[in-house]
Amino acid sequence: MASVSIDNPPLRTLTAGDTAFVVEFGATIDRALNAKVMELHRAIKGASLPGIVETLPTFRSLMVFYDPLTTTRAELEPQVLALAGSRSEQVAAGKLWRLPVCYEGEFAPDLAEVAKRTKLSADRVIALHSGATYFAYVLGFMPGFAYLGGLPNELALPRRKEPRVRVPQNSVAIAGEMTAIYPWESPGGWHLIGRTPIALFDLRREQPILWGAGDEVRFAHVDRATHDGIAAQVAKGSFDHTKLEVRR
Amino acid sequence: MSALLVRQPGLFTTVQDLGRFGAQALGMPVAGAIDPLALRLANALAGNKENEGALEIGFMGPTLEVQADSARIAFVGAVQATIQNGDDAPEKPLATSRSHTLKRGQIVKIGFVSGAAYAYCAVAGGFELPRFMDSLSTYTRAGLGGYNGRKLEAGDVLPVRQAASPKRDLTCAQALPYGDGAIKIVKGPQADYFTDGAFETLLASEYVVTKETDRMGMRLDGPVLAHSKGADIVSDGIATGCIQVPGAGTPIVLLADHQTIGGYPKIATVASADLPRLGQMMPGQRLRFAAIDVAQAETLRRQQEETFKRLLSALAPARPPGGIDVEALGSANLIDGMVDALGRT
């Protein structure tokens, strides 16, 4: 396995069969590491190397998928690592989104427990959660599910001991040092503290998945009536999603 | 409109093509056929391009009624399909590994898949369904792609695209190049999260496919594989065929519908040439693993592809079962003046 030292820590390539390999920049969740991942993700996209199927950025590594009928690992790996070494000039900042979240009643079944365990008032939990700017490290678990880093330390809690069988669609949740929104109803072990009326996934949009890795997100605290009003527009397909983009 | 009416849906019938690539960065699983070799052959027999959407049939197939003047349907896999010229007509067998040209009102009962997990059924022209992210593959967990994002249900109407297709039905006489023996695996990506003995255990032991197997993954029963530094990693990318080992130590081979990232270490990855064979294994089947390196896995895949391409180029016109092949009659007469009208020589 090749090991090329560019920065600290050295990056490694890991073998994932004959259709993929991983360029690993580190083993921690860290903005600087993730920036390198995204930089290589973009550089490979720009280089259009023959045989690359797609690349998948994660917190701290980039998985490179290739077609073994078109290229080989031996041929491709040096080309990819050369791109990891070269620093592109442009640092593409992602979009900044501002999503409405209602933290009330049935939308926030775990808010009281989170408040109790963090020894904060419910209002303080809401103020902290809606006062931070989050960073979408990676999309995964399900299409459009973003692992959003940047949760205030006071709100960090381990996941629920008993995961829920059904987390409602659009639930806003926290666990560890992350927050997230569930794009679909699904099982889940995170603490549910709110709900957004915005569809993270909507086939009627040109881009069905709202956001991408590298984007930033803020939450705006809205009341139930505002939530329901926006939800109705979203359901009709008349909601203007560009209103959510604070920075493009 | 030309269509196939789903009279009975079978157990788990979905529309699949060769997968949805290019959106894994958005968390979108690739999905696609568990056995791409069989899907490609079914499409070739129907006269389609190899990546056309076709029916993937799990365990038991659907019963379909032809709602078109003519529809050419091809089967690949161990099914014992039958055809009826209407509800009260007798059922006649319909051979697999070939295409059949069917008429309006005919009813095809695909029945059970025996000895393997999946069979495939392609229709000439393909299904006239909306493509999602450039693919017809169904990803049922998010309700996306294929036919309304789900497995088929009774009463579904599958619209069939009209397309020029070869004059004759086609048949394939050869077996698909699945390979044999132990399932080949390549060590990594996280083999260093296991004890030194774990990989040896994986290679030395027999594993059994459990019932906890679906399009997402195949859980195996057998000796546990010991982690050396815990069973948690910071979530990392997954390739189809990765063998993930959660805390309990029993391996799970990740298949077409696997999530894009995961937080369990993966000790090894199944060679892509052996994925169709592995994916066709059924609960209770036993298997062993053998280690090869990346270059060997790539070579194996290229060899398999060459064999498969030869198989495709050798597809031959099929004779109608028991019927008079007018075309064969005509062309054969020109050559030797003598022919058996039932197609026997």
Side-chain angles (χ1 to χ4, degrees), chain B residues 82-146:
Chain B
T82 61
I83 184 164
Q84 283 176 283
N85 289 324
D87 284 314
D88 302 324
E91 295 184 11
K92 284 186 278 188
L94 212 50
T96 189
S97 282
R98 62 159 284 175
S99 49
H100 303 272
T101 301
L102 308 178
K103 291 182 303 223
R104 186 179 296 277
Q106 288 190 311
I107 299 159
V108 175
K109 197 182 285 178
I110 297 178
F112 283 97
V113 183
S114 54
Y118 297 99
Y120 292 83
C121 170
V123 56
F127 298 114
E128 185 86 69
L129 294 169
R131 296 175 74 76
F132 170 64
M133 287 183 169
D134 205 30
S135 167
L136 280 184
S137 286
T138 312
Y139 177 60
T140 54
R141 276 181 178 77
L144 294 171

Side-chain angles (χ1 to χ4, degrees), chain A residues 56 58-60 140-141 147, chain B residues 190 231-238 244 254 258-266:
Chain A
L56 167 61
T58 74
F59 292 101
R60 39 64 179 232
F141 175 56
Y147 290 82
Chain B
Q190 281 97 24
D232 291 309
I233 61 170
V234 174
S235 281
D236 198 31
I238 295 172
Q244 139 184 308
L254 295 161
H258 67 80
Q259 292 173 6
T260 52
I261 61 172
Y264 296 117
K266 298 163 292 276

Side-chain angles (χ1 to χ4, degrees), chain A residues 1 12 14-20 22 24 27-29 41 53-61 63 65-69 71-74 138-145 147 184 201 203 208-209 211-213, chain B residues 20-30 40 132-133 139 141-144 186-190 192-193 233-240 242 258-261 266 269-273 294 297-298 301-302 305:
Chain A
M1 275 179 222
R12 301 193 300 163
L14 313 178
T15 296
D18 60 324
T19 63
V22 180
E24 189 186 73
T28 53
I29 297 177
H41 176 58
V53 175
E54 64 182 303
T55 54
L56 167 61
T58 74
F59 292 101
R60 39 64 179 232
S61 68
M63 190 166 234
F65 293 89
Y66 68 95
D67 177 7
L69 303 177
T71 187
T72 62
R73 165 78 175 277
V138 58
L139 269 61
F141 175 56
M142 49 174 39
F145 185 101
Y147 290 82
W184 276 274
F201 190 97
L203 276 176
I209 292 172
W211 51 27
Chain B
R20 180 173 287 110
F21 291 92
Q24 292 190 77
L26 298 172
M28 184 66 63
V30 174
R40 292 167 69 192
F132 170 64
M133 287 183 169
Y139 177 60
R141 276 181 178 77
L144 294 171
V186 180
K187 200 173 182 178
Q190 281 97 24
D192 56 339
Y193 273 74
I233 61 170
V234 174
S235 281
D236 198 31
I238 295 172
T240 302
C242 274
H258 67 80
Q259 292 173 6
T260 52
I261 61 172
K266 298 163 292 276
T269 309
V270 175
S272 64
V294 176
E298 290 170 343
R301 175 68 187 283
R302 279 192 292 276
E305 185 66 13

Side-chain angles (χ1 to χ4, degrees), chain A residues 127-138:
Chain A
L128 282 169
H129 188 263
S130 59
T133 302
Y134 301 96
F135 176 73
Y137 274 105
V138 58

